[in-house]
Amino acid sequence: MDVSKVIKVIGEEIEVIKKRDPAAKSTFEILLTYSGLHAMLIYRLAHKLYTARMFTTARALSQFGRFLTGIEIHPGAKIGKRLFIDHGCGVVIGETTIIGDDCLLYQGVTLGGNGKDKGKRHPTLGNNVMVGSGAKVLGPFKIGNNVKIAANAVVLNEIPDNCTAVGVPARVVKRKGIRVTDELDQIHIPDPVSQELCKQLAKIEALEKRMDTFESKGN
């Protein structure tokens, strides 16, 4: 293992944390307390073992990383440079996931499968992708470069470059910074339970009117 290359990779990941997280005070603090950095260091070693076909050892190391950090990264995943996992607890990255350079994942993100596919089962993220807290990206499709996925979104289909997607299921609401729909946003997300209750109430009122009309004719 090239020690100078390892030191360079660690240095790049520390610098991106300093750049993206205003709470980061020093290199020492990041090395000591940032679980996202710890998870990435363990992943990179586990991935080396995985590519050397030491599958059981790689999985055991990745599970140790999960126990230590609360972040589960399958050693078979392919992750580019300078991934920042902010806070990170509950993040799950599947075996056939591919992540480009300079991406940002928040806590609770799942890059997983939909249970229907074989082979390539997990998503491919381009460069400079941001995935918000609690978002789920499920399936073997591509998320383009410079995409932003809102908190708690559920992405089930491909998203083109330079888009913002929100909602369940996720829909593109901005493309190249220009809003393309007003149906969904981070603040004014419709409540499906409330909508369904309103529909049922309208049906009940219509039925009551019909019953009143029927009874008045009968009298």
Side-chain angles (χ1 to χ4, degrees):
M1 183 180 291
D2 189 334
V3 176
S4 62
K5 185 180 286 188
V6 172
I7 292 173
K8 181 181 178 182
V9 168
I10 295 172
E12 286 180 347
E13 296 190 351
I14 289 173
E15 286 306 310
V16 80
I17 290 171
K18 288 180 178 178
K19 180 180 177 181
R20 294 196 169 193
D21 186 1
K25 300 294 189 296
S26 68
T27 297
F28 180 72
E29 179 191 48
I30 292 169
L31 284 169
L32 187 65
T33 65
Y34 275 64
S35 58
L37 177 63
H38 301 157
M40 285 303 301
L41 296 178
I42 294 169
Y43 155 76
R44 297 207 184 276
L45 178 56
H47 183 66
K48 288 283 187 184
L49 296 171
Y50 190 87
T51 54
R53 304 188 65 81
M54 300 173 66
F55 300 127
T56 302
T57 305
R59 285 303 305 274
L61 182 58
S62 71
Q63 289 302 106
F64 171 72
R66 175 189 175 188
F67 169 77
L68 190 67
T69 66
I71 298 168
E72 181 173 346
I73 308 175
H74 194 286
K78 297 177 181 178
I79 300 176
K81 299 176 183 177
R82 299 177 295 275
L83 172 66
F84 178 26
I85 303 175
D86 195 4
H87 298 289
C89 189
V91 167
V92 177
I93 300 174
E95 179 184 14
T96 61
T97 301
I98 300 173
I99 300 176
D101 298 337
D102 302 302
C103 291
L104 171 62
L105 308 181
Y106 287 95
Q107 66 270 20
V109 165
T110 298
L111 305 179
N114 55 27
K116 300 177 182 179
D117 300 291
K118 295 182 179 179
K120 181 73 167 79
R121 308 182 304 280
H122 305 104
T124 296
L125 273 60
N127 298 325
N128 195 36
V129 174
M130 187 279 287
V131 187
S133 303
K136 315 299 176 189
V137 186
L138 307 175
F141 47 81
K142 186 175 182 195
I143 305 298
N145 298 323
N146 308 310
V147 165
K148 292 182 173 61
I149 297 172
N152 294 317
V154 178
V155 183
L156 302 174
N157 295 291
E158 183 171 324
I159 299 177
D161 293 349
N162 306 305
C163 288
T164 299
V166 306
V168 182
R171 302 180 188 181
V172 172
V173 294
K174 282 186 179 180
R175 184 174 287 114
K176 296 183 179 179
I178 300 172
R179 181 170 291 279
V180 295
T181 178
D182 292 320
E183 291 181 11
L184 291 170
D185 60 43
Q186 281 273 58
I187 300 172
H188 306 100
I189 296 176
D191 182 350
V193 175
S194 176
Q195 289 179 332
E196 188 60 31
L197 287 173
C198 288
K199 288 179 184 178
Q200 297 303 321
L201 181 60
K203 288 180 181 179
I204 291 170
E205 289 176 349
L207 287 172
E208 287 177 343
K209 288 180 180 178
R210 290 178 63 184
M211 288 295 296
D212 290 342
T213 302
F214 178 78
E215 288 176 357
S216 63
K217 287 181 179 179
N219 292 332

